[in-house]
Amino acid sequence: MTPAPASTDDPKRVAEFEARIARGETIEPKDWMPEKYRRQLIRMMSQHAHSEVVGMLPEGNWITRAPSLRRKMSLMAKVQDEAGHGLYIYCGTETLGVDRHDLVLQLLSGTAKYSSIFNYPTLTWADIGAVGWLVDGAAIVNQTMLAKASYGPYARAMVRICKEENFHKRQGYEIMATLAAGTPEQHAMAQDALNRWWWPSLMMFGPHDADSPNSGELSRWGIKRKSNDELRQRFVNLTVGQAKAINLTIPDPGMTFDEDTKNWIFSEIDWDEFWRVVKGDGPCNRERLAARRKAHDDGAWVRAAAEAYAEKQARASSAA
Ligand code: 3HC
């Protein structure tokens, strides 16, 4: 993100704004807000929307290969939900005065970020279970917090999206539980998926708080109510018991339980891997962008038709 110009906001208005945040007030699109507050929201919300849309790719990969009609229908519903979440959050960015088409072009040009988790491949059907259970599970932890964000449109979007993410997590966990209780080969498939998706899921919460350049402002302005590390710890504490309940092992032999804090103390994340994937050198980064670019090109005729229809309607209404 290009560095914002030094703030030209009226200090008096910034003080009034920050007093509103301190009182727990919700900021609405027509309210005055510091330019940096607006830019931070555009950054975060656009990346979130991109994540929802790109996230359809690894899961859509298995719709034609789902092991039963029930699994196929459940996965189709989930992927459709993700598309809706993306469009919903793009609508949220438009309340901040940006055009979603510009945001999409940033994604297609490779300059916009999306959650690095979606740059990993879905190699077996068990991955669809692991993605629902872990990736949507991590997203729920994060988005439950964002549902209390100071910016009204984003917070309200999260309330609706979290309801659907809960379905996503349940269907994923049920897939994992079914496989884990199946044949030894099925149990091994589920364990392999957990092994491959566990650490990238922890990375979804971002770098450590001390290495998070955005968290300070986001916390001061009530967008982030909890830190990256707090949310990651909450996710780990919630998930370890779920893995044990279906006889799967968290791939972290160094993990210990702290009786005082009741936290599962996990090993250090491979931050070299995290930044490598964020910066574009993950297993599927190129494939994901190529797929998005092809979908955009293939959809050009739809956009052209919609624009032609809108112009025709405008001419008809001005002639009336
Ligand atoms: N993947 C890619 N980039 C990441 C990342 C990740 N997992 N975690 C952090 N980064 C990037 C940040 O975008 C930032 O780069 P930028 O300044 O160029 O944007 C940089 O790393 C430093 O990280 P910070 O901690 O300073 O960034 P944030 O304060 O924005 O925190 C975040 C990162 C926790 C992801 C936060 O942006 C956030 O909560 N975003 C909204 C939620 C979201 O995007 N969720 C996506 C999950 S996927 C999903 O919901 C789909 C569903 O179907 C599962």
Side-chain angles (χ1 to χ4, degrees):
M1 184 174 163
T2 47
S7 173
T8 54
D9 294 320
D10 172 357
K12 187 170 172 300
R13 297 202 79 171
V14 172
E16 287 165 2
F17 172 83
E18 298 202 340
R20 290 193 64 198
I21 297 290
R23 291 194 298 268
E25 292 181 24
T26 297
I27 306 302
E28 296 297 339
K30 291 192 171 28
D31 293 342
W32 186 88
M33 62 185 80
E35 175 58 17
K36 193 66 187 307
Y37 177 86
R38 192 181 73 88
R39 287 168 59 91
Q40 275 286 17
L41 283 166
I42 292 168
R43 177 191 66 86
M44 232 175 123
M45 292 168 69
S46 60
Q47 288 173 185
H48 194 164
H50 297 330
S51 303
E52 299 280 6
V53 173
V54 174
M56 294 163 65
L57 294 169
E59 295 179 304
N61 180 27
W62 279 89
I63 288 176
T64 56
R65 295 181 285 172
S68 70
L69 179 59
R70 175 171 172 264
R71 293 294 188 205
K72 185 194 289 279
M73 290 170 66
S74 175
L75 181 54
M76 284 173 69
K78 176 179 189 319
V79 172
Q80 283 174 314
D81 282 352
E82 308 302 6
H85 296 174
L87 297 179
Y88 208 49
I89 300 170
Y90 282 131
C91 286
T93 60
E94 289 176 330
T95 67
L96 292 157
V98 291
D99 180 333
R100 76 174 69 188
H101 189 57
D102 296 337
L103 300 176
V104 170
L105 293 180
Q106 287 167 16
L107 173 66
L108 299 178
S109 67
T111 56
K113 287 189 172 71
Y114 57 88
S115 193
S116 58
I117 189 77
F118 296 122
N119 289 314
Y120 290 84
T122 44
L123 302 175
T124 72
W125 172 252
D127 286 36
I128 298 304
V131 167
W133 172 35
L134 301 175
V135 176
D136 290 70
I140 290 167
V141 170
N142 187 354
Q143 291 164 188
T144 304
M145 177 267 293
L146 291 170
K148 301 180 183 68
S150 58
Y151 188 58
Y154 198 25
R156 291 188 289 269
M158 289 303 103
V159 172
R160 171 174 163 186
I161 287 176
C162 280
K163 289 184 178 123
E164 294 177 340
E165 297 293 7
N166 271 295
F167 149 69
H168 301 169
K169 177 181 174 180
R170 288 177 191 283
Q171 63 88 38
Y173 189 58
E174 196 230 351
I175 290 172
M176 293 298 270
T178 304
L179 290 169
T183 64
E185 294 77 13
Q186 288 173 327
H187 183 277
M189 187 192 286
Q191 184 62 58
D192 165 61
L194 174 54
N195 294 346
R196 285 183 287 108
W197 288 92
W198 173 253
W199 292 103
S201 298
L202 297 196
M203 295 174 193
M204 286 176 65
F205 295 95
H208 281 311
D209 300 341
D211 303 321
S212 170
N214 297 291
S215 286
E217 272 183 339
L218 294 173
S219 304
R220 192 170 89 245
W221 283 335
I223 299 170
K224 270 188 180 177
R225 301 292 188 184
K226 290 195 182 305
S227 74
N228 295 0
D229 287 325
E230 283 176 307
L231 293 175
R232 190 176 2 252
Q233 184 63 69
R234 175 168 167 69
F235 171 71
V236 170
N237 290 349
L238 285 171
T239 311
V240 170
Q242 292 167 1
K244 288 178 184 288
I246 57 174
N247 188 28
L248 292 180
T249 305
I250 298 289
D252 180 357
M255 183 180 268
T256 58
F257 185 68
D258 183 324
E259 285 295 345
D260 296 333
T261 61
K262 305 299 181 200
N263 286 336
W264 284 98
I265 311 304
F266 50 94
S267 303
E268 192 52 83
I269 290 169
D270 179 347
W271 294 110
D272 291 340
E273 176 183 338
F274 169 77
W275 288 114
R276 190 171 62 248
V277 181
V278 169
K279 289 179 177 146
D281 189 23
C284 298
N285 296 54
R286 292 169 191 81
E287 180 186 330
R288 301 291 183 240
L289 278 185
R292 286 303 314 137
R293 288 172 183 143
K294 181 178 184 313
H296 189 75
D297 294 344
D298 291 351
W301 70 272
V302 177
R303 294 190 295 277
E307 283 163 15
Y309 180 73
E311 283 166 18
K312 184 179 171 196
Q313 292 297 91
R315 281 196 303 274
S317 61
S318 62

